[in-house]
Amino acid sequence: MQEMTSIQPVGDDWDWQHEGLCRTRGPELFFHPDGERGSVKRAREARAKALCQECPVITNCRAHALAVPEPYGVWGGLTEEERQDILGVADERGAG
């Protein structure tokens, strides 16, 4: 007889998202509009990252963003570029 293991529903893996402070803000804080650059982009990212630092699920969010990996936006207090650096992913947008 095969031993049965307890399997959690997949939804349980995502429950942490219900506790995220990002749910109290619009997505435009975390995801840049087309053409956003320079000081405007850095200021928006700084505001998003500041909210992340207060978030009770920053660790779960960051782990998710690095595991998937999430290609866009601020997740777990990390920008797209910071996640690429951590993962050692080359930024090919400028290559051509």
Side-chain angles (χ1 to χ4, degrees), residues 5-15:
T5 59
S6 173
I7 300 174
Q8 288 183 289
V10 174
D12 289 351
D13 292 340
W14 301 95
D15 281 347

Side-chain angles (χ1 to χ4, degrees), residues 2-3 6 10 14 21 34-35 37 55 60 64 69 84 87 90 94:
Q2 191 173 21
E3 185 176 319
S6 173
V10 174
W14 301 95
L21 293 181
D34 287 341
R37 291 187 179 27
C55 187
N60 300 79
H64 162 78
Q84 288 173 350
L87 295 172

Side-chain angles (χ1 to χ4, degrees), residues 4-76:
M4 298 195 72
T5 59
S6 173
I7 300 174
Q8 288 183 289
V10 174
D12 289 351
D13 292 340
W14 301 95
D15 281 347
W16 61 268
Q17 290 185 346
H18 296 290
E19 303 300 321
L21 293 181
C22 57
R23 293 175 54 91
T24 67
R25 302 295 194 281
E28 62 276 358
L29 177 61
F30 300 94
F31 299 94
H32 66 82
D34 287 341
E36 181 187 61
R37 291 187 179 27
S39 63
V40 173
K41 180 178 180 182
R42 287 189 300 275
R44 180 193 49 77
E45 288 175 338
R47 289 190 307 273
K49 290 170 69 170
L51 185 65
C52 291
Q53 294 306 313
E54 302 298 321
C55 187
V57 296
I58 188 173
T59 303
N60 300 79
C61 185
R62 183 175 292 177
H64 162 78
L66 292 170
V68 169
E70 287 290 350
Y72 304 108
V74 174
W75 288 77

